[in-house]
Amino acid sequence: MLKNIAEDLRKCLPLETMLSSEHLALQKIQQRPEPTIQVDAFLYDEDFIDSLCEEGKMSRNYCMVCGSHQTAPLGFVSHSFSLMELKFIYHHVLPDLSGKVLVDVGSRLGTVLYGGYLYSSALQLYGVELNGDFCQLQEMIIKKYQFTDRIKVLHADICTQGSLLQNADVVIMNNVFEYFLDEAEQARAWEYISHNVRKQGSLLVTVPSLEESLSGLQVNIQLSPWVEQIPLNYDIYPEKDIDREAVEQIHLYRIL
């Protein structure tokens, strides 16, 4: 079913899965030291990218000297989990979610919500998304696939959702602020998260690690009194074609 959802979403979005309303994210991708393109890992797996490259619709390389054969690999950035990463999170990272409330911060295309609906018994799955265009896409999928009983999408700034965060049993944050907010706004958002995600024993799943996300930001967040990191077994995944680099970016924390 997730593959059908991906197909529906591909029809609604440009290849790079970026909307014209995402000015800052587009600008930040262009400013990276190596040429980088946004390729959504949920919509385009490795095989799909290979077929696009064969058709000449996408390239994995860029020309280092215009007109020459000297090429280097393009950087790829995704703001969604792939199918494999969703399975890893719901089957191996998180415990049984029966009766639990999960919040996805910056739910974008809704992949974490759909995965949670199909791969877990979570009581309620909330997506908080600032971009109205992405909220409409999520609502379309939720209605079409009849997920409305357990999924709710909120068109809102996460910094207005204190009560939701305070009551969440699981909070998921995938590359959530770096590309979409300037540094001052990122710092404000992280301060808000750290003040409101305080339910003892609740779980926080992040990509990348909290340490990496907070490095370089002007924040007063002490991690050791707030969270403890739970080691993950990255070898547990049964499929041979696991993207080890991608799953090693997934980190799990328990709130103290």
Side-chain angles (χ1 to χ4, degrees):
M1 187 183 284
L2 286 177
K3 288 185 176 176
N4 292 340
I5 291 172
E7 191 174 337
D8 286 344
L9 288 168
R10 279 196 296 268
K11 291 172 186 169
C12 300
L13 290 159
L15 189 60
E16 66 277 13
T17 335
M18 300 291 288
L19 299 178
S20 55
S21 50
E22 298 186 282
H23 309 296
L24 188 61
L26 290 161
Q27 190 181 330
K28 286 197 174 191
I29 287 173
Q30 287 163 2
Q31 287 169 351
R32 283 172 67 101
E34 62 169 2
T36 300
I37 53 172
Q38 150 74 16
V39 178
D40 193 279
F42 178 70
L43 301 189
Y44 301 102
D45 61 19
E46 288 295 313
D47 292 340
F48 206 112
I49 291 171
D50 285 342
S51 66
L52 289 171
C53 290
E54 284 169 17
E55 292 168 23
K57 293 178 181 174
M58 186 184 283
S59 174
R60 289 183 180 273
N61 301 296
Y62 70 97
C63 177
M64 294 172 71
V65 183
C66 192
S68 86
H69 296 288
Q70 191 179 358
T71 63
L74 270 167
F76 283 69
V77 62
S78 173
H79 301 297
S80 297
F81 288 119
S82 66
L83 246 171
M84 177 268 298
E85 291 166 291
L86 288 172
K87 285 180 185 173
F88 179 70
I89 287 168
Y90 285 110
H91 292 163
H92 302 300
V93 174
L94 294 172
D96 176 22
L97 297 182
S98 299
K100 304 295 186 186
V101 172
L102 181 147
V103 175
D104 182 26
V105 179
S107 52
R108 200 167 176 84
L109 299 181
T111 53
V112 166
L113 307 176
Y114 317 141
Y117 192 98
L118 297 168
Y119 294 148
S120 85
S121 303
L123 177 68
Q124 198 70 45
L125 300 141
Y126 288 96
V128 182
E129 175 53 55
L130 194 54
N131 187 300
D133 298 327
F134 283 126
C135 289
Q136 286 180 356
L137 279 176
Q138 291 175 83
E139 293 290 358
M140 176 193 81
I141 296 295
I142 292 163
K143 287 192 179 79
K144 177 174 179 178
Y145 289 89
Q146 301 179 332
F147 292 160
T148 50
D149 56 327
R150 289 166 56 211
I151 294 180
K152 187 172 176 60
V153 175
L154 305 173
H155 179 200
D157 180 342
I158 193 61
C159 294
T160 64
Q161 300 299 310
S163 177
L164 185 66
L165 291 171
Q166 289 158 24
N167 291 298
D169 299 293
V170 178
V171 176
I172 296 187
M173 304 175 69
N174 178 18
N175 261 335
V176 69
F177 300 135
E178 182 188 353
Y179 287 93
F180 306 102
L181 302 175
D182 64 33
E183 286 191 3
E185 290 172 321
Q186 287 181 57
R188 167 180 160 267
W190 277 113
E191 293 276 9
Y192 191 86
I193 295 285
S194 70
H195 285 128
N196 286 283
V197 180
R198 288 282 172 176
K199 186 176 182 179
Q200 193 172 6
S202 62
L203 299 172
L204 180 60
V205 178
T206 70
V207 172
S209 67
L210 286 175
E211 291 82 356
E212 188 176 332
S213 293
L214 298 175
S215 67
L217 295 179
Q218 298 293 313
V219 289
N220 182 27
I221 298 172
Q222 303 300 316
L223 292 181
S224 54
W226 176 37
V227 296
E228 65 168 338
Q229 184 160 2
I230 300 171
L232 296 177
N233 181 359
Y234 298 110
D235 297 318
I236 200 167
Y237 201 75
E239 291 187 18
K240 290 189 286 292
D241 60 349
I242 184 171
D243 183 343
R244 182 66 185 243
E245 196 178 336
V247 295
E248 285 181 353
Q249 285 288 302
I250 298 169
H251 295 79
L252 177 65
Y253 302 88
R254 184 185 291 113
I255 307 302
L256 298 172

